[in-house]
Amino acid sequence: MTAQTPTGVADYFWREAYERRRLESLLLDLFRRWGYSDVVTPTFEYAETLSERGSRELQSELCRFLDRDGSMLALRADMTIPVARLVGTRLHDAPLPQRYCYSGSVFRDAEMRAGQQREFWQVGVELMGSAAPEADAEVLALTVEALQVAGIERFRLVVGQMQFFEGLLQALQLPPDARTRLTAAIDRNSQPALEAFLRETRLPRRQQRALAELPYLGGEKIDAILHRAEKLALNKPMQAAVTNLRAICEVLAAQGVLDYVTLDLSEIHNLGYYTGITFEALAPGVGFRIASGGRYDNLVGTFGAAMPAVGVGLGVERLLLARRRGAAPPPPQPLAPDLIVATGNHPDAFAFVTQARRAGLTVALDLEHRCGAALCAYARAIGSHAAVDWCDGRPLFWDLTGDEPTSAGLTAEDALHALTALVEARNAASASPYKEAAR
């Protein structure tokens, strides 16, 4: 037996673990302020629950195992299907719309590639029971704020519309193998493959033109793209998709977040259940999506009463990578306490420690009865900038920020000033973009 972890999973500890938990907490707090309630679903489900509602890719990546009764189970490969199951089977009669937020591990037995583990952590939201463009806009706007809270300074939301492409396929009326080839070319964003398809497939001129221009229906000039897409629309589904996008963009403009959006009507990334808008968040220095989502109006209905829905999932590991702009994480290091206190088991010392912790400081007790220089050396070794020595019954405050430790007696009045100064110093040192954005 080896003591190493399997390929595709990882240990997180010290500061790296703290950053993950802190980011998760900030995002969940944000979602709750937008009216989203927490939901916790099982880590594994019946395999058919997940496989019958996901794309072929999602099905192939399920981590399956047998239950004791012989049932096939699978670790959840995303969070949307379990939440849809919960709502469709148990919460379908609650007032609409319903808003849920979550965090947890998801598992994909996928080939290892950059930015992809077999176990990774997601946070996200699902908005159930509204088909209005305002619902799509709310999830997009919330994604923008979530990325800002996460400390991502530059990013784009690339928004597509599955109905536009599905409408195009309906108009083309291709045989199954040709449809598969075309979908693969568009999904891979392969211009040579699309040009080869157009050469080899006889299509009416208007259909050929709509297909040839599909890769160019993208960019930041929202009005121009929608106008062009409207001219190219071959049927009512394609027209409805354009109308839907225009309505969503109008709401986003009113909310002041449209500048973060790029349209791409050739974006057809689908987990097997998207029916309307799809979107992904991209950031400099990271060569893959850091968040993705979309509308899935038919998924909840596979478990019970039909219910429109839209949601987004954000990858915690990828958010942290994007915040570092693709740089490797720093070497693991413990979180340093703000203050080390040698209490000498004096009641006043413990009262001081309680006061410091209530003020928001991280305080660790020295358990080895160190005093003076030994206490200062220990505090510095673990990264603390101050220590309090109660060993001889009279508190002595040690400032460790200079080249040499300096000490001063600590009266009750001095203690309050010392704690205030430590809190201010800690806040200044630990300030980061995502904490600032969360204030």
Side-chain angles (χ1 to χ4, degrees):
M1 293 291 291
T2 176
Q4 300 300 314
T5 58
T7 302
V9 298
D11 294 313
Y12 299 96
F13 52 94
W14 291 343
R15 183 173 294 277
E16 189 174 13
Y18 168 79
E19 291 294 329
R20 289 165 57 88
R21 292 296 191 189
R22 177 64 174 156
L23 178 55
E24 173 194 3
S25 177
L26 284 169
L27 292 175
L28 287 175
D29 285 346
L30 169 67
F31 300 154
R32 292 168 190 140
R33 291 198 300 273
W34 280 57
Y36 289 78
S37 299
D38 291 78
V39 61
V40 178
T41 62
T43 304
F44 57 87
E45 305 258 357
Y46 287 113
E48 64 182 24
T49 297
L50 304 176
S51 63
E52 291 180 357
R53 294 165 175 87
S55 64
R56 289 184 179 180
E57 179 183 1
L58 204 62
Q59 293 173 27
S60 69
E61 295 177 352
L62 287 178
C63 299
R64 295 178 171 88
F65 59 98
L66 284 174
D67 200 355
R68 290 183 176 183
D69 64 2
S71 301
M72 183 62 71
L73 306 178
L75 298 175
R76 62 191 179 203
D78 80 344
M79 300 293 285
T80 300
I81 294 176
V83 176
R85 173 195 52 74
L86 172 62
V87 173
T89 57
R90 301 183 60 185
L91 301 172
H92 51 84
D93 55 353
L96 301 178
Q98 300 175 32
R99 294 176 171 89
Y100 300 102
C101 62
Y102 59 78
S103 67
S105 292
V106 295
F107 305 84
R108 304 258 180 102
D109 190 13
E111 180 181 352
M112 293 298 296
R113 54 186 181 269
Q116 180 71 66
Q117 295 276 72
R118 288 199 292 175
E119 178 187 15
F120 51 98
W121 202 266
Q122 278 191 344
V123 295
V125 300
E126 311 293 346
L127 199 167
M128 311 281 199
S130 176
E134 286 80 3
D136 300 83
E138 176 174 307
V139 171
L140 288 165
L142 179 51
T143 303
V144 168
E145 187 165 347
L147 294 171
Q148 292 171 335
V149 165
I152 315 300
E153 297 177 354
R154 296 173 54 203
F155 60 86
R156 302 295 300 174
L157 293 188
V158 181
V159 180
Q161 231 290 359
M162 287 297 300
Q163 192 178 6
F164 189 85
F165 183 69
E166 290 296 328
L168 177 59
L169 291 178
Q170 291 176 24
L172 297 179
Q173 296 183 336
L174 299 169
D177 57 341
R179 181 181 177 126
T180 300
R181 281 199 301 126
L182 173 59
T183 301
I186 299 298
D187 191 35
R188 297 196 312 269
N189 196 27
S190 173
Q191 188 65 28
L194 177 59
E195 292 173 354
F197 179 88
L198 289 169
R199 287 195 304 270
E200 298 164 5
T201 307
R202 295 179 62 86
L203 295 172
R205 179 174 297 179
R206 188 161 177 246
Q207 294 183 1
Q208 189 176 43
R209 182 181 179 187
L211 182 54
E213 293 202 24
L214 181 64
Y216 302 101
L217 294 178
E220 300 176 9
K221 297 180 179 180
I222 306 294
D223 289 337
I225 293 167
L226 293 177
H227 179 74
R228 187 60 188 154
E230 198 168 40
K231 294 291 185 182
L232 295 171
L234 302 174
N235 51 26
K236 289 184 178 180
M238 296 178 74
Q239 293 168 356
V242 177
T243 300
N244 173 254
L245 280 174
R246 181 172 282 114
I248 293 169
C249 289
E250 288 175 355
V251 179
L252 292 174
Q255 294 179 323
V257 296
L258 186 59
D259 288 344
Y260 293 97
V261 171
T262 296
L263 291 185
D264 184 358
L265 292 181
S266 68
E267 172 55 49
I268 59 170
H269 171 69
N270 194 354
L271 293 175
Y273 45 73
Y274 288 141
T275 59
I277 66 160
T278 62
F279 62 93
E280 60 184 15
L282 304 176
V286 182
F288 35 78
R289 65 181 68 93
I290 58 177
S292 62
R295 173 162 288 280
Y296 51 98
D297 287 346
N298 300 328
L299 180 58
V300 180
T302 65
F303 296 104
M307 187 182 299
V310 60
V312 62
L314 302 98
V316 171
E317 292 90 350
R318 294 184 174 192
L319 291 177
L320 293 172
L321 181 62
R323 200 166 71 201
R324 300 192 305 266
R325 297 190 178 184
Q333 56 181 330
L335 286 170
D338 298 306
L339 185 63
I340 297 294
V341 178
T343 65
N345 290 330
H346 290 283
D348 288 346
F350 288 111
F352 172 80
V353 169
T354 299
Q355 183 182 13
R357 287 171 176 163
R358 287 176 178 172
L361 293 173
T362 301
V363 182
L365 300 184
D366 172 59
L367 305 178
E368 304 300 327
H369 305 287
R370 298 179 181 91
C371 298
L375 178 65
C376 292
Y378 169 67
R380 280 190 154 177
I382 64 173
S384 293
H385 295 303
V388 176
D389 182 352
W390 234 282
C391 291
D392 63 0
R394 295 177 301 171
L396 195 63
F397 181 87
W398 289 93
D399 183 349
L400 308 177
T401 57
D403 293 337
E404 296 293 334
T406 58
S407 64
L410 195 64
T411 66
E413 183 178 353
D414 292 336
L416 180 60
H417 292 310
L419 292 181
T420 301
L422 284 172
V423 170
E424 291 176 352
R426 193 277 311 274
N427 290 342
S430 63
S432 64
Y434 74 90
K435 291 181 179 179
E436 292 297 328
R439 290 177 183 170

